[in-house]
Amino acid sequence: MNTSGHAAADVRDDAAGLRLTPFRGLRYVPERVGSLAAVTSPPYDVVVRPDGLLHLESADPHNIVRLILPQAITAGTRHRKAAVTLDRWLADGVLAPDPEPALYVYEQHGDGILQRGLIGALQLSAPAEGVVLPHEDVMPHVVEDRAALMRTTAANLEPLLLTYVGADEDGANTVIEHTVRREPLLSTTTEDGFHHRLWSVTDPAELATVAAALSHHQALIADGHHRWATYLRLREEHPSPGPWNYGLVLLIDTARYPLRVRAIHRLLNRLPVSEALAALDGSFRVRRIDGPLPTALEALTAATADGNAFLLAGDGHFHLVDRPDPALLDRTIRTDRPEAWRTLDATVLHSTLLEHVWHIPDAPEDISYIHDTAAAVAQAERRGGTAVLMHPVREEVVRDLARQGVTMPRKSTSFGPKPATGLVLRSLALD
C-alpha cells in the first residue's frame, strides 16, 4: 500500500543498493536501571542544553546522555569520560550484548503516528554511489566532535534515521509485520507519550528476505547527516572490510509509514529583534502578529503559500517577515542550482538574510539550531536574541533535490518521530 502519496518505489536497476546487516546489540539490563524510559534520550542534537541535559542526567544515573553528551571541561576529557563510563556500565552489567547478531524491528506509536522500521548495521557508501542520499550540508566542527566520540568509545551510540520508498509487496515489510506479532524484547513509554517496542530478527530465512528486498533500494538521510559524515570519516581511518565499514541506522519505508517533517529553527544569539527588523529596511514586508504562538505559526503557514516567509521572536512579540524584494534575491542567491533549491526558505534565510542583510557568520556562538518552537522563543527572550521560526519543507522536495545531488542548507529539516536513543547500541568491538 502507499499511504503517503509518494512516487514509485526507489528501485535501483543495478541491485547495488542497501546492505543492512545484523549485529549484536548492546541493551540496558532492565533490572539494573530504574526504568527503560528513564535511561533513554532524544538524539544528541535535539537535547536542549543545558536544561534538557540536566533533566535527563537527573532522570537516572545511567541515562544515555552520559555517553552521547558527556560533560567535562575539554573535548578530549569528555570523550574519554564517555568511554570510561561505557566500559564501567558493561563491566557492571548495566549494559549487556545480545547473544547473537540480529536485525531489530523498532516500533514507535504516539501522537497519531505508528512507525515501524529496521535497525541494523548499514554498509557505508559515498554520496556519489547514489545508495545513501544526503540532503543537507554539515558543520565540520560537529563532525569532528562526533568522530572523536565514536573513535574513543568504539561504538555507535544512536541510530541515524534513513528512509526509502518501498514497493507494494516488500519482503522487508512482510518480515516486520510478522515479527511484531511476537512478544517484544522490550516495551516502554517515554515522557513524551510515545510507546516504544523492540524485537530481534535472527532467523536466517527472514534475514535473507530483508537483504533481498533492500538490495534494490536507495535511502535518504532523514536525520543524522553529521553522524553519517562521521561514519565515512572513520571508515577512511580504518581499512575495510571491518566493523568501521558499517554504521548503525534505523531504516523506515515511508510509503508504508510516512514521517512528519518539521522545521529546525534558528536562534541568533547576538542579534536583538529590534536590530534584525531595522536591518531589513524595506527589503521584506514586516507585520506584527498578535496572539499566542499557535496563532503566529498559523500566520506563518498561510504566508508561505505565497513565497518565502519567516517568523521573528524574542522581544515578547511575533513579527512575520515575508515578500522579499525580488531584486535582492537575484543579487544574493546563486544561480547554478535548481529553482526548487533557490526558492527554499532555508536558502533565502542563509544566503540573503544571514549573509547579506544581517551579516551573521554561521558559527556556534552566533547561531543555535533548535527543534522545539517554544524552546526557541523562550531562549531568544532569555538571551535577548532573535528566534527565526521556519516552515517545514515537504519530503518529496527534499528527496528530489537529493537525487539530483543538491544539498540543502544545514539543519533545513527535522524528520520524525526520531528513534529514542538508548534502546539499542552497537559496539564495534563485538562485530
Side-chain angles (χ1 to χ4, degrees), residues 301-319:
T301 299
T304 56
D306 298 322
N308 302 113
F310 311 92
L311 197 64
L312 306 189
D315 62 350
H317 305 287
F318 297 104
H319 308 272

Side-chain angles (χ1 to χ4, degrees), residues 58-137:
S58 62
D60 189 283
H62 301 108
N63 189 282
I64 194 68
V65 293
R66 298 180 187 276
L67 299 183
I68 64 172
L69 291 171
Q71 299 301 294
I73 295 176
T74 67
T77 303
R78 289 198 302 273
H79 304 141
R80 287 191 295 272
K81 183 177 180 181
V84 169
T85 299
L86 177 58
D87 289 344
R88 186 176 69 250
W89 289 357
L90 286 167
D92 292 346
V94 174
L95 289 168
D98 283 333
E100 58 183 319
L103 294 180
Y104 295 86
V105 172
Y106 175 52
E107 177 188 274
Q108 293 186 80
H109 184 208
D111 196 23
I113 294 177
L114 173 63
Q115 181 193 87
R116 290 172 179 157
L118 289 164
I119 295 177
L122 185 69
Q123 185 172 18
L124 305 180
S125 59
E129 298 176 54
V131 178
V132 176
L133 306 175
H135 70 269
E136 289 183 355
D137 296 330

Side-chain angles (χ1 to χ4, degrees), residues 175-224:
V175 171
I176 289 172
E177 300 308 321
H178 177 262
T179 301
V180 297
R181 300 190 190 113
R182 305 199 309 258
E183 190 71 19
L185 295 174
L186 64 85
S187 178
T188 190
T189 301
T190 45
E191 65 179 6
D192 59 3
F194 270 83
H195 307 286
H196 307 263
R197 297 197 294 173
L198 192 76
W199 297 260
S200 64
V201 178
T202 58
D203 179 78
E206 291 185 326
L207 294 174
T209 297
V210 171
L214 297 180
S215 65
H216 297 277
H217 286 291
Q218 62 183 183
L220 175 74
I221 301 176
D223 185 69

